[in-house]
Amino acid sequence: MSKFTFVAALKYLLERVPLEVDLNTSLSRWRWWATGCVGCIGILKDWLVDAVAATLIQNGTSLTEAVLTATIPHPARRLSLEMEARAGEHSIARHDSESAKQFQALVKKPTKRVKEEAKQATGNGPGVPHADQVDQMKESSAATVLPMPQVTPKPTKPRVGQRAPERDPVGITPSPAQKSVGCFFTEVIPVTRAQAEEEGVSRFECPICLATRTLTFAEGSMRFPWHPKRTTVTPNHGLRWVKREIWQLSEK
């Protein structure tokens, strides 16, 4: 990935962080960001999500270097990602080189054979084949062209920690595996059914990962349900209940 592509992606993500960000200073340190995420935009996005969540837990309003340093991917993970990337690049380069050699061999060999047989057919002396025989020889040569080898694409390995696409069970206690990829906010929400019905809004926003859920009030207190950790940094829009020291309605 080029410098300009990475800086553009970094600027795009920082502009969508729901906190105060010193954009110019952050972009001037693009090499530090690239080292922290091994130049991978997906890792950079996860890093920013973790930093935003940690800042909101501390009731912070700006994205600081201290929080970013505390949530930077572990060096062991960065080493593993770098080794996987280099191994993949080497495998692709070797595969492309072998495929190019096979293609050239298949293209050049039949053509050379046809030219040699045509040259023999147009020569002088006894045993010169007829023109029809030359055409038959060309057709026979063309028929011997081997088909292109079928290359089975190498299955891509999912990123470590990436959740498989599946539906979340409803009304069932999440398993330990689900808890490991889910948000840990499941607190009781001090908003009554009467308040929600009066405002006509039953959509709530998780104060940790900013995931939104439409809740159905039952008897007793209402608890924010278990939910997968939100991995995007795009701000939510629309009228919803948010926690700003207290739970209140917000459109921003």
Side-chain angles (χ1 to χ4, degrees):
M1 179 183 298
S2 65
K3 166 189 173 182
F4 300 102
T5 303
F6 180 82
V7 172
L10 176 62
K11 182 174 181 294
Y12 177 85
L13 293 176
L14 290 176
E15 288 176 343
R16 284 154 180 78
V17 170
L19 299 169
E20 297 179 4
V21 180
D22 189 348
L23 189 59
N24 293 331
T25 301
S26 296
L27 294 179
S28 65
R29 301 184 61 197
W30 67 271
R31 293 184 184 277
W32 180 75
W33 290 93
T35 302
C37 67
V38 202
C40 178
I41 301 302
I43 301 300
L44 174 62
K45 182 186 70 174
D46 293 342
W47 180 10
L48 285 173
V49 169
D50 292 340
V52 170
T55 302
L56 293 176
I57 292 175
Q58 300 172 5
N59 296 323
T61 59
S62 61
L63 191 64
T64 63
E65 182 178 351
V67 174
L68 289 168
T69 303
T71 56
I72 192 171
H74 193 275
R77 184 187 179 194
R78 283 182 279 162
L79 175 62
S80 177
L81 291 171
E82 182 68 22
M83 293 177 64
E84 289 180 3
R86 295 191 179 187
E89 292 173 355
H90 176 73
S91 178
I92 292 175
R94 183 178 60 184
H95 176 72
D96 291 345
S97 177
E98 293 177 354
S99 298
K101 291 179 180 179
Q102 292 177 1
F103 178 76
Q104 292 297 329
L106 292 173
V107 170
K108 291 182 178 180
K109 285 185 178 180
T111 303
K112 183 178 180 181
R113 178 180 175 184
V114 170
K115 289 182 179 180
E116 291 177 352
E117 292 177 351
K119 183 177 179 181
Q120 294 176 0
T122 56
N124 297 324
V128 177
H130 192 267
D132 294 338
Q133 296 177 348
V134 174
D135 293 337
Q136 293 178 359
M137 293 169 62
K138 291 182 179 180
E139 293 177 358
S140 176
S141 176
T144 59
V145 176
L146 298 177
M148 291 294 293
Q150 298 295 325
V151 180
T152 303
K154 183 179 181 181
T156 57
K157 295 182 178 180
R159 178 166 53 84
V160 177
Q162 181 179 7
R163 186 183 182 196
E166 60 181 6
R167 289 182 177 272
D168 294 326
V170 179
I172 301 176
T173 304
S175 63
Q178 290 176 324
K179 290 182 179 180
S180 64
V181 297
C183 179
F184 57 82
F185 179 80
T186 56
E187 299 178 5
V188 174
I189 301 175
V191 177
T192 64
R193 175 189 291 182
Q195 290 176 308
E197 292 179 348
E198 180 181 357
E199 299 294 343
V201 179
S202 58
R203 183 167 171 248
F204 291 79
E205 179 182 277
C206 173
I208 302 301
C209 69
L210 307 184
T212 59
R213 292 291 183 274
T214 300
L215 305 184
T216 301
F217 285 83
E219 297 297 332
S221 60
M222 172 57 61
R223 181 181 296 273
F224 202 93
W226 178 91
H227 55 282
K229 184 178 180 181
R230 188 172 185 256
T231 58
T232 61
V233 295
T234 305
N236 294 318
H237 298 286
L239 193 61
R240 64 197 183 281
W241 293 93
V242 300
K243 186 177 182 181
R244 303 286 188 271
E245 295 184 357
I246 63 172
W247 286 91
Q248 58 187 359
L249 288 176
S250 175
E251 292 185 354
K252 298 182 179 179

